[in-house]
């Protein structure tokens, strides 16, 4: 069984540890590393991890660690993913994968050179809802798709890492990445143009973003994301015969299908997603499978898709006029 390690014992690390607790027959919750040994010890005790390290370097020197989950702020994904790969570890790196495409390209190039798995932990790519939505689209239930809309807002300005430019905060990298992935999964990436704008936060990062995408086939996506409020987090896929509503695009729980009826549409089915531990188990499973198969990437989120999303976010930030201190 593979030994799983967590680098950075913050909020999402806690949720990942709870996920691993439900996967005891699949993966071993082996080590946690924090900049504080006391914090690592408490985390290990709370979640039943075998080892606690007071520095990331010490954990990476442990030959028993197979797969490292990088759970730091965005500004540090590049540094620590590179360090993990140089230590010979497979990596599952949280979203946003990096600050920009250049960093992402360097991380991916190193993983390929070393023959190690490097996967982006963007959970929605790995979850069953994705295939359920694809199947509905393929069956033609809503006809030909023309428009996609999606939003994801969380009131999270109290989180230091979300507002601090030095930690690569901002709505786009933190939450905007989800509507972009939602549109990409449904529409693909043959993009004619992106038009993006934002409202800035007082710290100098983007607070609320609006993104319009025109595709080469004449379709359109309209997306927004914000870190100053709550929204319904809904995705809507609109076709010539009806529409599909996804509640919520960040961990879908229900998929509703509406079919055209007269001038309007009526609900024809409401499909729940399968029962889950937390929803993060699918990315862990995909990473483990890829490692067993000797792959350097997960088919659910190949490197080229990760790079494509980074390119889209680079273009949005170019239009925002936002350059982060670490680039
Ligand atoms: N997939 C999802 O649903 C989801 C949800 C939330 C967040 N995320 C992603 O997960 C990552 C971490 O987010 P989070 O909410 O867990 O953040 P967080 O609670 O702030 O935790 C980040 C951890 O990174 C470590 N760290 C290392 N250097 C740091 C520095 N200079 N400043 C602050 N922390 C530093 C700290 O761990 P130690 O003190 O233990 O070293 C800290 O606890 C981000 O990439 C975020 O986008 C994903």
């Amino acid at each position: 069984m593979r030994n799983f390690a967590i680098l950075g014992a913050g909020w999402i690390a806690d949720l990942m540890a709870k996920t691993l607790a439900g996967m005891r027959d699949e993966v071993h919750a082996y080590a946690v590393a924090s900049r504080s040994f006391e914090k690592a010890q408490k985390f290990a005790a709370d979640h039943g991890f075998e080892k606690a390290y007071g520095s990331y370097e010490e954990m990476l020197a442990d030959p028993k660690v197979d797969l490292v989950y990088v759970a730091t702020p965005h500004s540090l994904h590049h540094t620590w993913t590179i360090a993990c790969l140089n230590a010979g570890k497979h990596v599952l790196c949280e979203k946003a994968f990096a600050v920009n495409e250049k960093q992402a390209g360097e991380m991916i190039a190193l993983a390929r050179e070393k023959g190690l798995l490097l996967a982006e932990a963007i959970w929605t790519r790995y979850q069953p809802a994705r295939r359920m939505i694809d199947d509905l689209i393929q069956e033609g239930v809503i006809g030909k798709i023309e428009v996609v809309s999606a939003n994801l807002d969380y009131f999270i300005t109290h989180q230091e890492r979300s507002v601090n430019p030095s930690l690569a905060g901002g709505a786009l990298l933190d939450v905007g990445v989800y509507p972009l992935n939602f549109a990409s999964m449904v529409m693909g990436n043959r993009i004619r143009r992106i038009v993006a704008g934002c409202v800035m936060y007082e710290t100098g990062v983007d607070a609320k973003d609006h993104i319009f995408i025109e595709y080469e086939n004449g379709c359109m996506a309209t997306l927004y994301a914000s870190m100053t409020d709550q929204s319904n987090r809904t995705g809507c896929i609109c076709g010539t015969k009806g529409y599909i509503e996804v509640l919520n695009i960040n961990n879908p729980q229900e998929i509703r299908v509406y079919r055209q009826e007269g001038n309007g549409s009526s609900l024809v089915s409401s499909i729940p997603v399968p029962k889950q531990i937390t929803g993060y188990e699918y990315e862990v499973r995909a990473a483990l499978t890829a490692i067993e198969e000797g792959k350097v990437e997960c088919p659910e989120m190949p490197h080229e898709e990760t790079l494509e999303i980074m390119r889209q976010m680079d273009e949005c930030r170019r239009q925002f006029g936002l350059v982060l201190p670490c680039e």
Side-chain angles (χ1 to χ4, degrees):
M1 196 180 290
R2 295 284 175 176
N3 285 330
F4 193 101
I6 295 180
L7 189 152
W11 187 86
I12 194 69
D14 189 69
L15 219 45
M16 178 54 82
K18 288 179 178 133
T19 310
L20 299 179
M23 302 178 76
R24 288 211 174 92
D25 52 349
E26 297 175 72
V27 64
H28 179 44
Y30 175 65
V32 59
S34 169
R35 295 164 301 168
S36 147
F37 182 54
E38 291 70 34
K39 190 176 165 192
Q41 268 186 319
K42 180 170 185 322
F43 188 101
D46 287 350
H47 297 291
F49 279 55
E50 202 177 314
K51 292 274 199 181
Y53 288 105
S55 80
Y56 302 156
E57 289 88 349
E58 277 176 84
M59 184 184 77
L60 294 184
D62 180 342
K64 286 192 176 164
V65 170
D66 294 312
L67 169 62
V68 179
Y69 173 59
V70 174
T72 65
H74 309 141
S75 57
L76 295 162
H77 288 182
H78 176 264
T79 304
W80 287 108
T81 295
I82 297 277
C84 291
L85 293 168
N86 279 327
K89 312 301 184 194
H90 301 286
V91 181
L92 179 61
C93 178
E94 258 305 336
K95 50 50 70 175
F97 187 71
V99 171
N100 53 35
E101 188 199 357
K102 181 173 174 290
Q103 286 190 354
E106 289 168 4
M107 293 151 72
I108 288 169
L110 185 61
R112 290 178 169 266
E113 184 192 315
K114 300 268 181 194
L116 293 163
L117 173 80
L118 174 55
E120 180 177 356
I122 173 91
W123 58 338
T124 50
R125 291 267 181 171
Y126 303 86
Q127 292 174 329
R130 179 182 181 183
R131 202 161 43 78
M132 292 160 68
I133 295 166
D134 281 352
D135 288 348
L136 286 167
I137 293 171
Q138 288 307 316
E139 286 161 19
V141 182
I142 59 163
K144 180 181 173 297
I145 303 209
E146 293 290 337
V147 169
V148 162
S149 69
N151 73 77
L152 190 67
D153 298 7
Y154 286 102
F155 182 33
I156 46 170
T157 48
H158 58 279
Q159 283 181 183
E160 170 69 7
R161 67 161 188 84
S162 301
V163 296
N164 187 339
S166 308
L167 298 177
L172 183 68
L173 294 176
D174 206 357
V175 284
V177 66
Y178 286 106
L180 280 171
N181 270 281
F182 185 80
S184 174
M185 285 188 278
V186 174
M187 295 295 213
N189 300 305
R190 297 181 71 91
I191 292 174
R192 186 174 289 149
R193 67 184 170 124
I194 294 179
V195 181
C198 78
V199 175
M200 294 298 281
Y201 193 62
E202 61 204 31
T203 55
V205 296
D206 55 312
K208 322 177 205 312
D209 311 333
H210 188 260
I211 305 165
F212 161 85
I213 303 177
E214 181 187 349
Y215 297 91
E216 288 175 2
N217 61 2
C219 293
M220 171 182 98
T222 176
L223 317 170
Y224 69 84
S226 165
M227 58 179 189
T228 62
D229 49 270
Q230 296 291 127
S231 72
N232 63 15
R233 305 174 197 168
T234 299
C236 192
I237 304 164
C238 310
T240 49
K241 294 182 186 163
Y243 62 92
I244 297 170
E245 232 176 28
V246 179
L247 318 170
N248 89 59
I249 63 154
N250 180 17
N251 195 13
Q253 295 303 310
E254 191 179 334
I255 299 162
R256 293 184 184 157
V257 182
Y258 296 79
R259 292 261 295 175
Q260 185 189 0
E261 207 177 85
N263 266 349
S265 305
S266 54
L267 183 67
V268 290
S269 59
S270 184
I271 312 160
V273 303
K275 194 169 162 7
Q276 57 190 28
I277 304 171
T278 56
Y280 296 103
E281 61 270 34
Y282 303 104
E283 65 192 29
V284 174
R285 235 168 246 149
L288 294 170
T289 303
I291 293 169
E292 288 321 310
E293 293 175 353
K295 292 181 178 154
V296 294
E297 61 191 335
C298 285
E300 295 86 346
M301 187 55 174
H303 290 161
E304 186 43 49
E305 285 287 307
T306 287
L307 288 168
E308 170 61 30
I309 297 293
M310 290 310 314
R311 276 194 286 276
Q312 293 177 18
M313 292 199 289
D314 283 359
E315 174 57 19
C316 292
R317 283 199 301 117
R318 189 189 66 75
Q319 295 185 30
F320 298 167
L322 175 57
V323 179
L324 291 160
C326 57
E327 55 186 347

